[in-house]
Amino acid sequence: MIAPASLTIALGLWGIRRENTMWGDESVTWQLAHRDLAQIWRTAQHVDLVHALYYAVMHGIFGLFGDGLLTLRLPSVLAMSVAAGGVGLLALRLAGPRAGLLAGLVFPLLPQVQKYAQEGRSYAMVCALVTWATYVLVVGAAQRARWRWAVYAATMLPACLLHEFAVLALVAHGVTLVVSRVPRPVLRAWSAAAAGVLAGLLPLAVRSAGQSGQVAWIGGPVRLRYFLIAAVVGVACARAPLGVRGPVRLSALAVPILVLPGLLLLITSPVKPLFVDRYVLYSNIGIALLLGAWIDWFHRRQRSPRTTWLAAIVALAVLVPPSLVLRTPASRSNDATAVGAAVREAGRPGDGLLYFSDQYRAWTAADPEDTRLLTDLALAQDPVASNTLGGVELPARDIAARMLEFDRIVAVREPLGAHAPAGPGEEAKASTLRRHFREDGTTRVSGARITVYVRTTTVGTISPSGTRAADAGAGPPEQRQPRPTRLQQPRSPGFGKAGRATRRAGCRRCRSRACGRSGCTSGWCPARRAPAGRCGCGTR
């Protein structure tokens, strides 16, 4: 329907840039969609296999239309407008023209729909596919044509491949058909289509089970309140005598798709917490259908339209504040753009850069300029070369040794009160900073802390755990040896044209590897504290 789709596009374009910011998951989309299809596939073998199809789609879109923020989010806007049109047609078929128009207009006004219509992730596409699969289900239940069930399977399977939890909509659809007491041939046809979808999804489900650690961050239901409010309101609306047309009643369709997917995720929570509101975004189809049909029923009961108009104005007024907030960076759980900007602001050319979680490395990868002049101290292999999101880090001993070659380090770590990542590498980072550096200022942004550390000691060798094995400056103050300045550091003989090298090739004479790369790319040589392009041994 034109009106719901148009309203969805208008709301989606309003503030779509969100003050030119991206949050962490969008930054991952940005990073992976810029890799070629072979790299996306190889990366998916290690991480994010469940989103591999979406990254491939976005890779094609970036190739056709560029890679701006508008290109990142516009597919979600368009997908949600397609979903809004589908919701309107569903209500039109089940409850009449006015209910169809109202349901279609209610759908894009829902806060959760507004939020994910402006997000560079797969959830809006999944919602659109589930909506139209639901429409085909309703039509197929009334008109016994086998090709309709083939269309149903061909619509549901991509939805499940974009996000595995779309398979929960199959459960809701099955309950709808059973409750509606459709003829057995219809039930058998749906069962065959559902089996085809499950068979197509099975390989992905088996392979992605090995990456279940990616949802380990879910400690309990995430943003549960919205789901509970929508479920209560929807069930209350369903008690009214809503439109009854065809073999499938509106309430028999809307209540299961609203309640069951989220309820099934909640049931698993004691064993494995999996409930996140966006995983069942398509449940908004149910609440939109119920609200649209209920408003139509309420309007028909009123002798004067004033009450209906007054209720509509109040509802719109209530929706204005959350709609404004959703278009600000504060509406997301973190701000990857702010993290990168804070790192750039805190760092100086040649400083060391330390990530206490590789997710922050993935966040800052969206804009390489933020970290171009800094040296990533823990990085052994970058994300692209290693086919990962956050790269491969050095052993703990090497990380600690490299940290001690710098006088100033910019550390990116979790916010106060958040769970700190554990592991030998993280312990070595924290121990070395605690023993040999002091804090010189902290910037707090949404989702992270950026702290500058300044060197306080001169260190000899480092143990594997990152602690000091022998300190050249150890002992009483009167016995400590002063640290040599850059001008006092000895130079290796024999430099000249034969030892000439570019900054990217590094020093070919002293073979310095302090920066961990084949060449120095920082504005200050971390090997000998010499100006860029000139090693401490004198080679340019």
Side-chain angles (χ1 to χ4, degrees):
M1 297 180 66
I2 297 176
S6 300
L7 178 61
T8 306
I9 291 175
L11 290 174
L13 294 177
W14 169 35
I16 190 172
R17 293 184 179 275
R18 208 160 56 241
E19 301 179 16
N20 292 318
T21 62
M22 282 190 293
W23 77 291
D25 282 10
E26 286 183 311
S27 180
V28 171
T29 298
W30 184 283
Q31 181 187 158
L32 285 182
H34 279 87
R35 303 182 188 182
D36 60 41
L37 294 178
Q39 289 174 325
I40 291 173
W41 175 247
R42 288 194 295 269
T43 302
Q45 306 312 302
H46 300 96
V47 64
D48 255 5
L49 180 61
V50 293
H51 296 298
L53 176 59
Y54 175 69
Y55 296 142
V57 171
M58 291 305 298
H59 171 81
I61 292 174
F62 279 2
L64 290 173
F65 303 106
D67 57 1
L69 274 177
L70 187 63
T71 309
L72 176 68
R73 292 172 182 153
L74 190 58
S76 294
V77 175
L78 297 177
M80 205 63 90
S81 69
V82 171
V87 169
L89 287 176
L90 272 170
L92 170 65
R93 187 176 187 90
L94 297 174
R98 186 162 54 193
L101 177 61
L102 290 169
L105 294 177
V106 165
F107 181 77
L109 292 174
L110 297 172
Q112 200 176 58
V113 172
Q114 291 191 58
K115 179 178 181 177
Y116 293 106
Q118 294 185 328
E119 192 153 296
R121 298 296 281 175
S122 63
Y123 308 110
M125 295 183 184
V126 173
C127 185
L129 289 168
V130 171
T131 301
W132 282 94
T134 305
Y135 181 78
V136 175
L137 175 85
V138 172
V139 175
Q143 302 174 10
R144 302 176 188 178
R146 292 182 179 180
W147 68 268
R148 295 187 187 277
W149 296 108
V151 173
Y152 173 81
T155 309
M156 276 301 303
L157 181 57
C160 295
L161 294 177
L162 282 169
H163 199 279
E164 290 179 3
F165 287 160
V167 74
L168 300 176
L170 281 177
V171 180
H173 290 165
V175 171
T176 293
L177 294 178
V178 171
V179 170
S180 300
R181 298 181 180 179
V182 297
R184 286 188 177 181
V186 172
L187 201 55
R188 284 198 297 267
W190 173 83
S191 299
V197 173
L198 293 175
L201 178 63
L202 184 61
L204 175 64
V206 172
R207 292 291 298 274
S208 64
Q211 299 178 3
S212 59
Q214 284 191 260
V215 292
W217 62 272
I218 307 175
V222 178
R223 290 181 291 274
L224 178 61
R225 184 174 63 177
Y226 179 91
F227 170 74
L228 294 178
I229 293 174
V232 170
V233 171
V235 171
C237 291
R239 294 176 63 86
L242 305 180
V244 179
R245 293 187 175 191
V248 177
R249 294 179 292 110
L250 185 141
S251 57
L253 174 73
V255 172
I257 203 167
L258 168 62
V259 175
L260 281 180
L263 182 61
L264 291 173
L265 291 182
L266 286 174
I267 290 173
T268 67
S269 292
V271 179
K272 179 70 174 179
L274 290 173
F275 183 91
V276 181
D277 62 341
R278 58 181 178 269
Y279 292 172
V280 289
L281 177 64
Y282 53 84
S283 65
N284 285 279
I285 300 168
I287 187 62
L289 290 173
L290 291 166
L291 283 174
W294 184 87
I295 294 171
D296 178 41
W297 170 79
F298 180 79
H299 177 74
R300 284 188 278 105
R301 288 191 60 193
Q302 302 301 313
R303 295 182 179 178
S304 172
R306 291 183 179 179
T307 306
T308 303
W309 283 109
L310 181 61
I313 293 172
V314 171
L316 290 174
V318 170
L319 288 172
V320 168
S323 298
L324 293 173
V325 172
L326 288 172
R327 287 155 179 83
T328 66
S331 63
R332 269 53 179 182
S333 56
N334 55 64
D335 187 347
T337 308
V339 173
V343 169
R344 178 189 288 198
E345 182 69 21
R348 299 173 184 171
D351 281 355
L353 178 59
L354 200 64
Y355 296 101
F356 274 80
S357 171
D358 59 4
Q359 74 168 355
Y360 297 123
R361 186 178 289 113
W363 291 4
T364 56
D367 188 357
E369 286 298 312
D370 290 334
T371 58
R372 183 175 61 85
L373 299 179
L374 308 180
T375 301
D376 193 333
L377 300 180
L379 188 64
Q381 195 174 20
D382 67 71
V384 176
S386 61
N387 295 310
T388 61
L389 294 180
V392 176
E393 295 199 341
L394 294 165
R397 178 190 180 94
D398 295 341
I399 294 173
R402 292 191 65 193
M403 290 172 64
L404 294 174
E405 293 169 353
F406 287 75
D407 288 330
R408 198 170 185 271
I409 293 176
V410 179
V412 186
R413 62 197 314 169
E414 72 287 345
L416 287 173
H419 173 70
E426 277 62 37
E427 291 177 6
K429 296 170 190 176
S431 175
T432 305
L433 288 176
R434 185 170 59 251
R435 290 172 176 268
H436 307 298
F437 293 81
R438 63 175 176 82
E439 289 192 19
D440 192 40
T442 297
T443 302
R444 292 178 174 83
V445 296
S446 178
R449 282 180 295 155
I450 294 83
T451 303
V452 175
Y453 289 89
V454 178
R455 181 75 167 272
T456 58
T457 63
T458 303
V459 182
T461 59
I462 302 298
S463 69
S465 64
T467 59
R468 180 171 48 180
D471 194 326
E478 62 274 9
Q479 296 179 5
R480 293 180 185 172
Q481 297 298 321
R483 188 179 179 186
T485 64
R486 186 173 73 248
L487 296 178
Q488 294 172 333
Q489 293 173 348
R491 294 185 176 186
S492 301
F495 61 90
K497 290 185 178 180
R500 189 179 303 278
T502 63
R503 289 178 60 193
R504 198 167 284 278
C507 180
R508 293 174 179 168
R509 182 159 297 279
C510 72
R511 300 294 183 185
S512 168
R513 299 182 64 183
C515 62
R517 304 176 183 173
S518 60
C520 175
T521 59
S522 66
W524 187 272
C525 179
R528 299 290 187 269
R529 311 295 193 274
R534 183 182 181 94
C535 184
C537 71
T539 300
R540 284 186 176 275

